Structures are given as structure tokens and as C-alpha cells.
Amino acid sequence: MTALSQSLLWQRMETYYNKLGPEVWQKEVVPSDITSNKYLAKLYAQTIIFHLHDYATQNPQGFLEKPFYIFELGVGHGRFSYYLIKKLLEGIEAFGWPAHLIRYVMTDISARNIESWRTNPVFKPFIERKILDFALFNALDDEPIFLIESQ
């Protein structure tokens, strides 16, 4: 028996996503509505904000000293990330916390996907505010994660 990550199917999927990048979703070859919608982003944001609130309650002195890094693995087209970042910022503002409390890191195995996010104007304000970063990441590699924007 072969592990899925060692299979020919896995290799072909990785090659496919690396080659096509965001075109996979633009041409609607891969469905994304079920995993990339505003309702799901709102639920994730609430969960993260509640965790931050719990941490702040237990660590009031050191809460704002360092940013909290949120890594999204295998982002794909980035629509969910955009919705989630917006909802996170709404929650952070509701508590009166500074926006730089979070560092959201979008990751993928496809450099084409990462370049499409970096050049997408909807992400520019988040990049400029230093709350968004990007990284090439393959969960099968035991390599350090390099944050592209912050170096």
C-alpha cells in the first residue's frame, strides 16, 4: 500500500495546480463555493476572535506585545482568505484591539497562486498595513517557512 502523498495521483495534482495556478478556479474547473463563502469566513473569524479574547483575559499584560500569526494552508484562489481577513478586522475593531495584532499568512504550493495574490488589488491594503504575508509551503517538505513580504 502506498501513502496518498507518495502516489502518482498526488504528484499529478501537485503538477496540475502548480501549472495552472489561479486558472483552475477562474475557469471553474474546481468548485469553490462550498469552501470559500462569507458565512464560513464569519464562523472562522468568530472562533479566532474568541480564542484571542480568551488569551487576552488570561494574559492581559503580554497580550498586545507580539502579533498572532494565522496560517492558512493551501489557500488556492484566495477568496476565502479575503473574506476571513475582513471579518477578523471587524472583530478586532469591535474589541478595540489594533489591527496589527494579527499577521495572516496565505500559503500554497503554487508560486503562480502566490503571485496572483500579491498583485491582486483587494489584498494591497492588508499588505500595506502589514497584516498580510505570503509563503510558499508544501506540507510534505520539512523546510522553514519564509514570509515573502516581511522577509
Side-chain angles (χ1 to χ4, degrees), residues 27-78:
K27 294 181 179 179
E28 297 183 14
V29 175
V30 175
S32 62
D33 291 340
I34 194 72
T35 58
S36 298
N37 61 67
K38 291 177 183 179
Y39 177 73
L40 188 60
K42 178 184 173 184
L43 295 176
Y44 273 63
Q46 287 174 343
T47 302
I48 293 167
I49 294 296
F50 291 148
H51 281 290
L52 289 175
H53 182 265
D54 287 348
Y55 184 82
T57 302
Q58 295 171 6
N59 302 284
Q61 298 300 323
F63 178 62
L64 298 175
E65 289 179 11
K66 295 180 183 176
F68 290 84
Y69 284 82
I70 301 164
F71 285 79
E72 184 181 350
L73 307 180
V75 168
H77 52 69

Side-chain angles (χ1 to χ4, degrees), residues 52 64 67-68 70 85 88-93 96-104 125-126 129-132:
L52 289 175
L64 298 175
F68 290 84
I70 301 164
I85 293 167
L88 283 170
L89 289 175
E90 287 175 16
I92 286 170
E93 289 172 9
W97 300 328
H100 66 269
L101 178 65
I102 62 164
R103 296 288 192 282
Y104 196 93
F126 307 136
R129 292 170 71 185
K130 300 194 184 311
I131 60 173
L132 177 61

Side-chain angles (χ1 to χ4, degrees), residues 75-95:
V75 168
H77 52 69
R79 186 179 307 132
F80 179 77
S81 304
Y82 174 74
Y83 295 149
L84 181 53
I85 293 167
K86 285 187 62 116
K87 289 295 181 187
L88 283 170
L89 289 175
E90 287 175 16
I92 286 170
E93 289 172 9
F95 277 102

Side-chain angles (χ1 to χ4, degrees), residues 101-145:
L101 178 65
I102 62 164
R103 296 288 192 282
Y104 196 93
V105 182
M106 297 169 64
T107 73
D108 205 282
I109 62 169
S110 169
R112 289 189 64 193
N113 284 346
I114 294 170
E115 192 54 33
S116 74
W117 311 327
R118 291 183 74 207
T119 58
N120 189 327
V122 301
F123 291 122
K124 187 175 181 180
F126 307 136
I127 297 168
E128 289 172 349
R129 292 170 71 185
K130 300 194 184 311
I131 60 173
L132 177 61
D133 213 325
F134 311 98
L136 193 62
F137 178 72
N138 185 336
L140 298 178
D141 295 337
D142 190 19
E143 299 289 328
I145 295 176

